[in-house]
Structure formats: structure tokens, C-alpha cells
Amino acid sequence: MDTLMSGQLLFAALVSGSLYALVALGLNLVYGTLRLLNIAHGDLVMIGAYTAFWMISLFAIPPIISLVLAAALCALLGWAVYAGLFRRMLAKPELAKRVEANSLILFYGISVILQNLAALAFTSTSRGYQYLDTVITWQGISMTGNRLLSLGVATAVCFGALLFLRFHLFGWGLRAVIQRREAAQVVGVNLNRVQLLTICGGFAVAGVAGVLVSMTEQITPFMGFPFTIVAFVVIIIGGLGNIGAGILAGFCLGLVETYGIALTSPGYRSILIYGLFVGVLLVRPEGIFTKAVRS
Amino acid sequence: MKSFGMIIRIALAVFGAAVPFIGSPYLMGVVFQVAMWIALAQSWSMLSATTGYLSLGHAVFYGVGAYVCVLLTGKIPFELALLAAAGSAALFAALVGMPVLRVRGPYFVILTYGLSELVRHIVMRIESALGSFGRMIFDVPATEVLLWWMVGLAVLATLGAYAIRHSRFGAGLAAIREDEVAAETVGVPVTRLKLLAFVASAAIPGAVGALALLRTSYFEPAQAFDPVISFTIVTMALVGGTDTVRGPILGAVGFALLSELLWSSLPQLYMIVLGLTLIVFILFVPRGLSGLFGRIGRAS
Amino acid sequence: MAFLDIKGVSKRFGGLMALNDVTLQVEQGEIFGLMGANGAGKTTLFSVIAGHVAPTAGEVVFDGTRLTGLSPSRICRLGLCRTFQIVRPFAGLTVAENLRVAALYGSARKLSTREIAQVVEEALEAVDLADRGHLDAAQLTLSGQKRLEIARALATGAKLVMLDEVMAGLNPTEVSAMLDTLGRLRTERGLTFVIVEHVIGALMTLSDRILVLDHGERIAFGTPEEIGNHERVAEVYFG
């Protein structure tokens, strides 16, 4: 019981919760504007993680700078995916008709390609590096610098995104597209531009999350998929396309997971996450579905 | 009827092709693989091609079959174990089918994936709690026997897929694919038909999983429920084409042979080719190889 | 006993009373019109009768069988079929295949292959689509797809067909052709229709009796002439 009440566990929960919120934010943005469930989202986290690893190992560039590099790299990838695949797909009526189910399979194909390209290029060996791993103790809570940094950056990006959506003109346009796609176009929102920028932004956020993850966890070509699943759980709980609630749901999942594992054992982590994933999809299929068609 | 003749010919060809290779372990292995993927892709098509509910979780039926088989093998005759494997996979589909099939479109796709992974992790957890990290199986039937069974399953799955498409059942499923609400309105018992199709498409993969397990004579949950199996099935079926029964055969033969070339030396490259082909076909050849050949045939 | 007997049906969606204690009887062989502004509850009533939506209170009895609680497919096999305001063809199937599915699954007993072919053919002819059977349903014009909706209901062997705005979006020529078709179906096949229509002229011409709904409640009931002269209807409906 003592461990459960300790600040130590709460800190761990906040660190993973902020990461989940961040990863889910990217997925939510892309879903909200393009109505595409990007099952390759977690692989962008993997790409961000490798970026940080190679930068620090080869050029001694610290992760704090890699944040920008990974974001740029993933944004570029987003542009390529949008311009190369989806503009084409959305333009063809016979494809657009079945675009939702097909796009999921398509993204799965992209995911498989990314994972195996990484495995081919970097081998399947787990990688890791040390950065800011001195322990700071405050009020009896032991924290490493990298975890504090991760919590800080993830939280800042999440709330930055919220403020941006709330106050910047582009954020308004984006929210308009999420809520009323056709109406937004009528009032002069450039749908193409909003979609392109969102997919770049959503991908970039995942890259940032990858850099943060790499500071504390092992890096492998196949590390991304669990993040995809977590992000799906989060955005379905929070409501698809609902950015603010998604961020909150991310933190909640971090709490549930950390405390759930503390009460059982780490061996149950995957079962817990996949169980939640299947559970939310089963319990709310109508809710999810009606939301998807109404828009 | 023309396509029925085609199926018979393909079935005979698979049989015929298998005969001379008895004795050559390598070629028997290739035929075993080809037959296995045909059986899996055809089974998948019984649900997914007919109703448009794309399952990305068929590995779960394969895995359930393998798991049941490893638990039963040595205790009951091999044929009964196979039947039990198929039966358990079908039963599992029947149990989860009702809630799962209420979920549509992309959510169905990820749900089937998630369900398959959930079961994989649960079985892994059970096995590690039992202190088992992989089970060896002794006393497996001869390779020839397994091969004949697998070829039999491929033929059975193909005939089954054909029969479904050309029956009243298939007409109902097609209506469900086009518009579920309208189908219900004109008297199609949507829920029941979907469930039946789900169960039908699960049974043979269960038996396939059991046979594949006996062939390697080693069970490890992470492999038996490997999501790559699901992905490969979907790719084969979509690349082959889902409009006809020969589509999955074309896809399965093509990729099984490609896998022979690449898998042992460059597995990653094989997966990349798989992914790229899938993307190209979804975007540019939505009707698959089968549609491509059909068009060429008609044009000439 | 009435052919279709709707007894005190209410339907509440959250705080909204979509139908409030609606009672009506439809006799065999008549064309029964439903009128009302948008949101008056007409489509909800259709959905309740056809089994898509469960009523909050009340029950529906058709041809002596209680429908409430049955699935739409079961209700269809009992001989009651609806069409949709926004057409829902099986777009990837041909027109004839659309009807074939309806004949295979909609009829009360199992039909032979020959009977099915005959049902399909008759349904095609009944709505003047005989030369379009081989086309994909998606290739039909809107008017064609509305006819397909009707033909599909016919192919199920329905005794009572509920038509949800089959005239909406059609030009005057198409409307008059549709009026002919429906009149012919009634006299030749003895079918019963319940129709919802925004094209008021058409509704007045076709219907034997009309019920007017407003905000889920019945406000008037009678022959077309009586409805035309009804004060409250004029107020609510014609503004």
C-alpha cells in the first residue's frame, strides 16, 4: 500500500501519461482532419527514437536538438504520405468509397515497410544511450533528469497545441474541419492545406515523442506498435477528433497503466493495454461509428 | 460455371503438382507452404471478400488451432486433434463474433487485430505462468501425411469459398457488403449471416494452424499467433483480387513462391516487398491480379 | 381488425418526443398518406413500424402478428417492407441482383430458382425497369433508383409497402409516371401502401385517407378533401 500512495508512482504515471497524451495527440489530429486511422503512427515514434540515438552516438548531438530534427523528418514523411498516397486515393471515387477500411490496411502496409526498413538498416539489436540520467531527489521522490525533461516537453507540447488550436487562426480552421468538413470549405477554409499541415504536424508530434522515449527506453525497429495501440485507446476513450479530451485521456491511461501494473505484475502490461483496446472498441462501436459517419 | 471449371483445374493442378515431389523434402515444403496460404486466404475471403468486413486478425484462429493441437497431441488420434483444432477456432469465432461484428469499417479492422494480439498475450502469459517457454512435440505424423492433409484443406477451402459465393448465403452476404440496413430491410438476417460467415472463415485456419504446428513440431505462442500471418493473408487476398475465387489462389501462390526466394535469406526485404505490393495494388489495381488477367482476357 | 394497427406508439430520443401516442389503422388495399413538416415524426414512425427503432411505448400489429420486438428482416418476411427516403441500393450489384436478394430472403417461404426468376422479372416490369436489369444499380438515375427501391420491396413479396418520399427530387414527368405506377400496383396486385410525401399534390391525388403529424402528435385525420379544408393543418403545414 505504501508504494501505491507514494509520489514515486505518481511521478512514473505522469511521465508515461504525458507521453501517451503526446503520441495520441498526433494520431487524433490526423484522424480529425483526414478521417484516416494511421496504424503506422507508432512507427513514427520509432523513427524519432532512432534519430535521437544516431545523432547522439555519431555526432554527439543531444536529444534536445534532435527533437527539432525528428520533428522535421517526420513532418517530411507526412508530406510524402499525403502527397504521394492519400491525395491520390481521396481523389478516386471508387477508392474513396472504401477509403476508410482500405486506408487502414494501406497504413499497415506502410508500417510493415517502415519497421522492416529500420530492421534492415539498423539490425534488430536493441539500442540505447545515456543522457541526463543523474538522479534528483525531491520530497523523497527520486527522479532522473531525462524523465523530468520528458514530462516537461510532452506536457508543454500538448498544451501548446491546445492553445494554438484555441487562439491561432489556423487552429480555428482546423477545428472547423474536424467538426464540419463541408461547411468549413464553404466558409473558405482551404481543406487541402489544412489536411497537409495537420498530417505534417501530427507526424512531427510523434517524432518528438520518439525522441523523448529514446532517452529512457530501449530502441528497436518494432518498438512503435505498442504506441499505436496505446494512442488508439486514448483517442477512442477521449472521443475521436476531440483534442483536449484526448490529452486528458492520455494522462488517465498513464495512471491506470502504472497503478494497474503496480497492483499486479509487469507481465500483465500488454494484456491490460490490449484488453482496454478491445474493450473500448466493443463497448462503444455505435458511438464511434455514428461520429464517423455524421461528419 | 466457367470459373467452377477453373477451380477444379487449379485444384487438380495443385494435387498433380504435389505428386512428383513426394520424397523431395524441399519441394514438399514448398507445396506445403503454397497449399497452406491458399487455404488461409480462401478462408479469409469467405468472410472478408463477401461481406467487406476486412479481418486483420485471422492469425488468432490459426493460433487457437495450433494451441489446441499442442494440448491434445499424443492424447487423441491425429485426425481428431485436427478436427478439434478446427472446431475450437470455429467455436472461438462463434463466441466473440456477436460483439465483434457489430463494429464496422476501419474499426472492425483494428478490432480484429487487437483481439488477435490480446489472445496472443494471454496465451503467452498462461504459458509463462506454467513455466513453459515453447513446447516440443514428438511423434508427429509423416511429412507426406501432413502435406496431403494441407492440400486437402486448400481444396476444401477453395470449394467452400466457391460454394458460398454462388449460394443464397453468398447473395445475402453480398447485400450486407453493399448496405447492411437495406439488406436487413429486404429480409436478410444480417446478424446471423455475418456470424455464420465469421465461423465458416475461422474453421479451416484452425486446422491449418494445427498442421503447420505438427510440421515444425514446435509450439511457441509468439509465433503461433504472429500478426504477420494475418497481414500476409490480407495481402495475398487483396493482391490476388477478392472478386473471384481464383484471386486468393493467385495471391497465395505468388507470395508463397516469393517467400521461398527471400524469407530465409532476407526476411525484412520480403516483408518490404509484401507491404509495397499491397500499397500499389490497393491504389492502382483495386481488383487485384485476378481482375488484371480478366481484363486482358476480355480485351483479346 | 385492421391490416396494420398502430396502438398508442410513442418514441422518445433523450428529451425529444419524436412520436407521442400515435394511433392509426390502415385497411388492406388502401393507400394511406402521412403528412407533416420536417421533424414531425413521419420517418420515425416508419422506422418503428419496420423494426429499425424500438418504440418507447405502444405496439404495432400487422396482419394479426405483433411486430414490436421483431427484427426488420423478420418483419419483412411477414410481408411488410419499407423504402428509404435517401435511396439505399446495393450499388455494386446489378439491378436484377438487387431484386434477387430481396426475392431470396424476403419471401415468407422458400422459392424455387424458377419462381425467383419470375418474381425478379415481374418486379422489374412493374416499375418499368425491365430493360435495366443488367446495369449496376449505381448506374441508374435517381428516378431509376427510387423505382428500384419500390421494385425491391415488391420482390420481397410484401403485402404492405411503406414508401418514404419516393417522389422527392423527381421532375414533374417522373412524378406523374410514378403516380401511374403506384396506382397500377394497387389495382393489379392489391397492395397496401403507406406513403410519406412532401409533394403534396401527389399525396392528395394518391391517398384514400391522410394522417397529419406535427411534433410527433396527430393533429388531423381524414380524406384528402377534409385535410385540404382543415384549419389546423393549413396553419401548421401551409404556413
Side-chain angles (χ1 to χ4, degrees):
Chain A
M1 246 2 239
D2 284 351
T3 39
L4 284 185
M5 298 305 290
S6 74
Q8 194 70 50
L9 211 53
L10 183 65
F11 176 66
L14 286 176
V15 171
S16 54
S18 65
L19 267 176
Y20 293 167
L22 186 64
V23 178
L25 168 69
L27 188 67
N28 219 353
L29 283 172
V30 174
Y31 177 80
T33 45
L34 283 101
R35 293 281 175 261
L36 296 174
L37 286 167
N38 178 9
I39 206 167
H41 192 69
D43 299 305
L44 303 167
V45 175
M46 177 269 291
I47 290 173
Y50 270 109
T51 308
F53 171 76
W54 289 116
M55 284 301 138
I56 197 165
S57 323
L58 297 178
F59 310 114
I61 295 175
I64 198 95
I65 293 174
S66 295
L67 284 174
V68 182
L69 296 174
L73 182 64
C74 288
L76 198 67
L77 209 64
W79 172 79
V81 165
Y82 182 71
L85 297 180
F86 285 99
R87 200 143 50 190
R88 199 186 300 275
M89 193 147 155
L90 295 167
K92 275 193 190 175
E94 77 267 22
L95 288 175
K97 199 179 71 177
R98 287 192 286 188
V99 74
E100 283 203 329
N102 273 339
S103 73
L104 200 101
I105 304 269
L106 203 69
F107 269 125
Y108 196 80
I110 293 173
S111 167
V112 166
I113 292 172
L114 290 177
Q115 288 174 10
N116 286 282
L117 275 178
L120 213 53
F122 310 139
T123 75
S124 301
T125 322
S126 301
R127 316 270 186 171
Y129 60 90
Q130 291 182 336
Y131 178 67
L132 290 182
D133 54 355
T134 37
V135 177
I136 305 157
T137 308
W138 176 76
Q139 299 275 328
I141 306 170
S142 305
M143 299 172 279
T144 51
N146 48 29
R147 288 201 158 75
L148 272 175
L149 181 66
S150 170
L151 177 61
V153 172
T155 314
V157 174
C158 283
F159 286 97
L162 266 185
L163 291 178
F164 177 75
L165 290 181
R166 184 81 42 200
F167 295 112
H168 192 275
L169 191 62
F170 178 79
W172 287 31
L174 195 148
R175 272 172 32 223
V177 172
I178 290 178
Q179 278 153 18
R180 290 270 163 99
R181 204 186 179 76
E182 289 76 20
Q185 267 178 296
V186 173
V187 298
V189 174
N190 181 342
L191 188 63
N192 226 338
R193 185 163 154 270
V194 169
Q195 288 184 335
L196 176 61
L197 288 177
T198 323
I199 201 171
C200 291
F203 277 38
V205 166
V208 167
V211 175
L212 300 179
V213 171
S214 73
M215 297 191 301
T216 55
E217 282 179 38
Q218 296 287 308
I219 305 157
T220 74
F222 304 101
M223 68 186 283
F225 211 85
F227 284 101
T228 305
I229 295 298
V230 162
F232 272 119
V233 173
V234 168
I235 69 168
I236 294 167
I237 292 176
L240 292 163
N242 188 338
I243 307 293
I247 291 173
L248 194 65
F251 278 97
C252 288
L253 186 68
L255 287 169
V256 169
E257 188 205 51
T258 309
Y259 283 88
I261 288 170
L263 286 168
T264 55
S265 88
Y268 286 102
R269 182 180 179 274
S270 298
I271 297 181
L272 179 78
I273 296 290
Y274 279 104
L276 271 174
F277 177 66
V278 169
V280 289
L281 277 172
L282 284 182
V283 172
R284 289 194 43 194
E286 295 91 358
I288 292 158
F289 185 65
T290 43
K291 243 190 177 152
V293 266
R294 204 183 300 146
S295 38
Chain B
M1 278 303 111
K2 203 177 139 206
S3 58
F4 188 71
M6 172 71 131
I7 290 159
I8 296 288
R9 261 181 287 151
I10 290 169
L12 286 177
V14 175
F15 263 115
V19 175
F21 299 142
I22 302 301
S24 155
Y26 173 72
L27 289 172
M28 272 166 68
V30 175
V31 176
F32 187 86
Q33 287 294 318
V34 170
M36 175 175 104
W37 289 114
I38 290 177
L40 290 172
Q42 292 291 23
S43 302
W44 180 87
S45 79
M46 290 179 193
L47 170 78
S48 298
T50 51
T51 64
Y53 278 73
L54 302 180
S55 159
L56 191 55
H58 258 53
V60 74
F61 305 125
Y62 177 99
V64 165
Y67 195 40
V68 166
C69 182
V70 79
L71 295 177
L72 290 177
T73 195
K75 300 187 181 83
I76 58 172
F78 149 75
E79 291 82 2
L80 276 183
L82 268 190
L83 201 63
S88 322
L91 183 68
F92 178 73
L95 289 177
V96 300
M98 278 289 234
V100 167
L101 289 161
R102 275 166 54 218
V103 180
R104 298 183 218 187
Y107 305 102
F108 180 80
V109 182
I110 50 170
L111 175 58
T112 51
Y113 185 92
L115 188 67
S116 173
E117 283 290 275
L118 177 63
V119 174
R120 178 165 79 112
H121 286 289
I122 291 175
V123 173
M124 279 161 66
R125 188 78 205 135
I126 293 173
E127 287 292 288
S128 76
L130 294 173
S132 135
F133 298 94
R135 298 168 183 248
M136 289 294 291
I137 301 166
F138 305 100
D139 195 23
V140 291
T143 315
E144 285 85 355
V145 175
L146 296 177
L147 176 63
W148 286 120
W149 272 97
M150 192 58 97
V151 171
L153 287 181
V155 173
L156 186 67
T158 305
L159 291 177
Y162 181 86
I164 287 178
R165 277 167 200 265
H166 294 82
S167 64
R168 175 173 185 261
F169 182 35
L173 297 177
I176 290 171
R177 179 187 64 221
E178 297 297 329
D179 189 324
E180 226 163 284
V181 176
E184 181 78 35
T185 307
V186 297
V188 179
V190 171
T191 313
R192 178 154 31 108
L193 292 199
K194 283 195 298 192
L195 190 61
L196 279 175
F198 196 49
V199 171
S201 90
I204 290 175
V208 170
L211 282 174
L213 164 85
L214 292 170
R215 175 146 165 78
T216 54
S217 62
Y218 182 71
F219 174 81
E220 198 193 340
Q223 273 172 21
F225 291 89
D226 193 341
V228 169
I229 298 169
S230 303
F231 178 64
T232 309
I233 296 173
V234 175
T235 308
M236 286 173 171
L238 290 184
V239 169
T242 54
D243 290 347
T244 63
V245 176
R246 64 182 174 158
I249 299 180
L250 292 172
V253 172
F255 281 110
L257 296 179
L258 185 69
S259 135
E260 284 307 316
L261 282 176
L262 289 179
W263 182 253
S264 50
S265 51
L266 287 163
Q268 289 98 358
L269 188 61
Y270 171 69
M271 292 305 292
I272 292 169
V273 172
L274 213 62
L276 279 176
T277 321
L278 178 68
I279 292 173
V280 167
F281 270 73
I282 287 184
L283 286 179
F284 302 108
V285 199
R287 306 192 58 190
L289 286 173
S290 171
L292 210 59
F293 289 169
R295 206 177 306 151
I296 294 165
R298 225 176 294 155
S300 61
Chain C
M1 185 165 199
F3 194 45
L4 176 68
D5 199 352
I6 293 157
K7 302 176 188 170
V9 165
S10 297
K11 176 66 199 179
R12 179 191 290 279
F13 292 111
L16 175 79
M17 208 62 178
L19 290 173
N20 193 1
D21 195 22
V22 174
T23 294
L24 67 95
Q25 279 87 33
V26 178
E27 300 301 333
Q28 189 151 19
E30 80 170 324
I31 296 187
F32 192 100
L34 271 179
M35 247 169 83
N38 281 328
K42 300 162 302 198
T43 297
T44 308
L45 185 59
F46 268 27
S47 299
V48 168
I49 298 172
H52 294 285
V53 170
T56 317
E59 63 168 6
V60 178
V61 177
F62 171 66
D63 207 6
T65 312
R66 189 167 183 269
L67 299 187
T68 316
L70 301 182
S71 70
S73 59
R74 184 88 194 80
I75 290 172
C76 173
R77 284 194 294 279
L78 288 171
L80 190 156
C81 191
R82 72 171 291 187
T83 68
F84 290 93
Q85 183 181 348
I86 297 160
V87 291
R88 311 188 76 132
F90 302 131
L93 306 184
T94 67
V95 172
E97 281 166 347
N98 267 263
L99 304 184
R100 194 168 152 266
V101 171
L104 279 169
Y105 281 95
S107 61
R109 65 183 177 86
K110 205 159 181 178
L111 303 178
S112 69
T113 314
R114 181 191 299 246
E115 284 171 317
I116 283 171
Q118 196 184 341
V119 166
V120 169
E121 189 142 330
E122 283 173 5
L124 282 172
E125 274 168 20
V127 298
D128 302 318
L129 282 177
D131 53 341
R132 305 281 158 82
H134 61 285
L135 292 180
D136 276 353
Q139 290 174 275
L140 292 179
T141 59
L142 176 66
S143 156
Q145 292 187 348
K146 296 244 170 186
R147 287 171 176 277
L148 175 59
E149 285 269 318
I150 299 173
R152 210 167 52 182
L154 296 179
T156 66
K159 293 172 277 183
L160 188 154
V161 179
M162 300 196 293
L163 304 174
D164 197 350
E165 300 210 18
V166 282
M167 316 273 183
L170 303 190
N171 66 38
T173 326
E174 290 165 341
V175 167
S176 83
M178 186 67 90
L179 285 174
D180 285 349
T181 304
L182 295 178
R184 208 171 59 223
L185 282 172
R186 181 195 10 197
T187 47
E188 288 176 8
R189 295 191 166 213
L191 290 179
T192 310
F193 288 101
V194 178
I195 57 178
V196 159
E197 205 52 70
H198 261 137
V199 182
I200 298 168
L203 192 80
M204 292 286 188
T205 322
L206 268 177
S207 307
D208 299 310
R209 295 186 297 162
I210 293 175
L211 177 80
V212 187
L213 287 174
D214 186 46
H215 292 100
E217 295 186 48
R218 48 183 287 176
I219 58 169
F221 174 64
T223 63
E225 296 78 51
E226 287 165 356
I227 294 297
N229 300 326
H230 197 283
E231 216 169 276
R232 185 106 190 267
V233 175
E235 199 178 291
V236 170
Y237 202 75
F238 303 104

